[in-house]
Amino acid sequence: MKIGVIGTGYVGLVTGACLSEFGHEVTCLDIDTRKIASLNEKKIPIYEPGLSDLVLKNAHKNLFFTSDYSALKDIKALFLAVGTPSREDGTADLSYLFDSIDKSIEVIQNNGTLFILKSTVPIGTHQKVSDYIAKKMKYQFYVVNNPEFLKEGSAVNDFMRPDRVVIGSSSEEAFRMMSEIYAPFVRQGNPILKMSNVSAEMTKYAANGFLAVKISFINEISRLCEATGANIEEVRSGIASDTRIGKQFLYPGPGYGGSCFPKDVKALLSTGQTLQQELKIISAAEQVNQAQKNFIAQKMKMILDNNLKGKKILVWGLAFKANTDDVRESPAIDILKQLEMEGSQIVAFDPMGVDNFKATYGASSIEYIDDKYAVDSVDALLILTEWKEFQNPDFTKLKTILSRSSSSILFDARNILSRPEVERAEICYFGVGR
Ligand code: UGA
């Protein structure tokens, strides 16, 4: 099928590349001409495992990149994957979405085009979009909600093997066309779920809201574990073996970050407020998340004799999670700000996220290093992201680096290391809830 994708961020680019891999003819459009120029040279602007291979393989064959809307003239389906950033009050700014719709309908001259809302949009957006297009375009069209459930760092795999595909539409024809697009991705029998547009919009927020609650829940329990002497790792396996609870998203850490959970939780709260529905659980999840970041910074301080002034801390991990260079809403931002404010000197390493972090964090005295051991001596090591390369460190090197204070200190805020192994190297181990 001839498909257009507007927006070449994480969602749009992964969607376009994966659809092209299964033979669809895909044109990806972005108004950022520099990004398009680099994609046309097969250079990927983001780090996402597997994406580069797909683009290298399919670009200029059945995957095209352009900033020119006229290239969308004959498409049958248009995925809208532009940014919908949060405003101050938590509501979403839909101006990019409506701009891209405006420009597309100028060139579309067929009946039956699918306008597919792939970006996470506030509940009720499908109706606004539908009314808007109806006013401006004389051809018949369908508005479909097809929320994405991709996780950064495994987005290609998630697209290729989705747990489910959610299609929100009131039209059988739209559902048939969407099923045709997704058929190659659900060969193993995972469901394509048809529902109303508004239910599809709600499903996306409910999924992210629930996952955020799960993380805040385990973070809260981990603090209680710490206070009682229980071990969160043991408690997690104790509860996760109950299939009603499940194993995933029960890993304590420095709090959730990224471009999705913080934004979607805020948007849910704002929707609840508008509709006068108090969302106590979602609201608590957000508060607990903020508290968790404070807790990590305060615990670091407590470990360093309750005084961060002049303390030199080596930080491993700036990205909001492993396998991505994305630092949006990364817990590292708030935590490092607190540590710096209290007078500590930060030396930071991340395998992929340093450039983005520098741009996001702003002016500071953080020293960035490009080898995780490239520092003389520090008072402590703080691990904030669960990158694989942090999971098996060279303890001999670390012991030398951690020589600025009398007791070598390692604070593993992701619980990725084994306490006995760290202690065997005569390094003091601190984790979260264990
Ligand atoms: C999340 C959802 O998982 C996707 O299903 C969804 O499509 C996406 O948002 C979106 O709305 O676009 P993502 O933000 O890429 O995906 O990352 P996650 O793997 O969900 O992690 C989010 C945050 O939670 C990270 O900071 C991560 O470190 C943290 N987390 C996750 C934990 O602290 N503990 C866990 O057990 C799991």
Side-chain angles (χ1 to χ4, degrees):
M1 192 183 293
K2 255 188 147 175
I3 294 174
V5 179
I6 304 187
T8 56
Y10 284 96
V11 176
L13 196 53
V14 170
T15 302
C18 292
L19 289 172
S20 75
E21 174 71 5
F22 279 105
H24 295 296
E25 186 183 323
V26 183
T27 301
C28 292
L29 185 145
D30 202 296
I31 51 172
D32 183 339
T33 48
R34 280 218 325 245
K35 216 179 198 184
I36 291 298
S38 105
L39 283 165
N40 272 322
E41 287 170 21
K42 303 189 181 183
K43 290 187 196 134
I44 313 295
I46 50 174
Y47 172 71
E48 185 61 46
L51 184 56
S52 182
D53 292 346
L54 288 182
V55 172
L56 281 175
K57 187 169 160 211
N58 297 305
H60 310 308
K61 292 181 191 129
N62 56 339
L63 176 63
F64 304 94
F65 300 102
T66 184
S67 292
D68 177 5
Y69 273 84
S70 66
L72 301 180
K73 193 165 160 266
D74 299 319
I75 51 155
K76 296 238 175 306
L78 179 61
F79 283 86
L80 297 156
V82 293
T84 54
S86 289
R87 293 200 196 88
E88 284 276 292
D89 62 357
T91 58
D93 174 0
L94 298 181
S95 55
Y96 297 116
L97 181 70
F98 282 99
D99 280 355
S100 59
I101 291 173
D102 263 340
K103 299 213 177 75
S104 331
I105 57 189
E106 276 172 25
V107 300
I108 290 172
Q109 291 176 7
N110 299 314
N111 281 315
T113 306
L114 299 178
F115 288 82
I116 305 157
L117 295 169
K118 196 76 180 148
S119 311
T120 303
V121 289
I123 294 153
T125 302
H126 71 280
Q127 195 58 55
K128 285 189 190 153
V129 167
S130 200
D131 295 347
Y132 190 81
I133 301 176
K135 252 191 240 150
K136 298 203 159 193
M137 195 171 84
K138 62 181 180 197
Y139 300 101
Q140 182 242 353
F141 65 93
Y142 305 105
V143 173
V144 175
N145 289 86
N146 171 222
E148 57 84 16
F149 301 102
L150 312 176
K151 297 181 290 301
E152 287 183 23
S154 60
V156 169
N157 187 49
D158 291 345
F159 196 98
M160 293 296 198
R161 281 167 282 276
D163 289 341
R164 79 304 205 184
V165 175
V166 168
I167 312 285
S169 168
S170 52
S171 149
E172 278 309 320
E173 176 57 11
F175 187 61
R176 188 198 62 73
M177 287 171 73
M178 290 299 288
S179 302
E180 187 184 323
I181 293 173
Y182 277 107
F185 301 93
V186 291
R187 290 245 154 81
Q188 274 153 5
N190 288 350
I192 297 186
L193 303 171
K194 187 191 171 199
M195 57 182 77
S196 69
N197 292 80
V198 68
S199 294
E201 287 170 341
M202 191 67 217
T203 296
K204 170 68 195 210
Y205 282 110
N208 277 1
F210 186 78
L211 293 170
V213 166
K214 247 183 139 177
I215 297 166
S216 280
F217 171 81
I218 204 71
N219 280 335
E220 202 164 62
I221 293 293
S222 78
R223 276 188 254 145
L224 198 57
C225 282
E226 226 168 278
T228 55
N231 180 338
I232 191 65
E233 302 301 323
E234 292 170 358
V235 173
R236 188 186 52 249
S237 45
I239 61 173
S241 41
D242 183 330
T243 50
R244 292 170 303 175
I245 296 174
K247 292 183 173 54
Q248 295 189 42
F249 273 71
L250 286 175
Y251 291 86
Y256 61 74
S259 64
C260 308
F261 288 171
K263 176 165 86 91
D264 292 354
V265 162
K266 279 195 180 68
L268 261 180
L269 290 172
S270 144
T271 305
Q273 219 166 24
T274 311
L275 300 172
Q276 287 160 9
Q277 300 294 323
E278 198 182 357
L279 303 176
K280 287 188 182 161
I281 293 176
I282 298 290
S283 170
E286 194 190 38
Q287 287 166 32
V288 169
N289 198 53
Q290 190 52 47
Q292 189 69 8
K293 297 186 248 182
N294 302 343
F295 170 76
I296 298 294
Q298 287 312 306
K299 181 163 172 175
M300 185 77 265
K301 179 177 173 183
M302 193 264 296
I303 296 169
L304 289 170
D305 303 325
N306 250 329
N307 180 9
L308 288 172
K309 263 208 185 77
K311 299 281 163 64
K312 196 166 175 184
I313 302 171
L314 171 61
V315 174
W316 281 2
L318 301 170
F320 81 99
K321 64 174 194 176
N323 295 326
T324 179
D325 59 356
D326 197 345
V327 305
R328 284 176 289 178
E329 301 276 342
S330 173
I333 298 172
D334 278 10
I335 293 169
L336 265 53
K337 287 224 154 109
Q338 287 192 39
L339 298 179
E340 275 209 297
M341 215 169 63
E342 299 220 23
S344 51
Q345 190 191 339
I346 308 290
V347 181
F349 171 80
D350 189 280
M352 289 289 165
V354 169
D355 289 345
N356 286 338
F357 195 83
K358 278 185 191 165
T360 309
Y361 193 84
S364 81
S365 56
I366 297 177
E367 180 194 339
Y368 297 93
I369 49 178
D370 42 17
D371 173 331
K372 59 181 178 293
Y373 302 113
V375 58
D376 279 346
S377 85
V378 295
D379 293 289
L381 167 64
L382 169 62
I383 301 179
L384 288 179
T385 312
E386 73 285 19
W387 285 98
K388 272 213 178 77
E389 67 171 270
F390 301 159
Q391 298 182 17
N392 207 0
D394 181 331
F395 287 113
T396 316
K397 279 188 184 165
L398 266 187
K399 177 75 186 160
T400 313
I401 289 170
L402 296 173
S403 58
R404 199 164 180 254
S405 76
S406 49
S407 41
S408 312
I409 290 163
L410 188 158
F411 180 10
D412 171 13
R414 290 280 183 176
N415 289 357
I416 53 173
L417 298 176
S418 127
R419 175 191 290 275
E421 228 181 296
V422 176
E423 289 178 346
R424 257 200 303 278
E426 292 176 358
I427 295 173
C428 291
Y429 180 88
F430 297 86
V432 180
R434 63 194 318 208

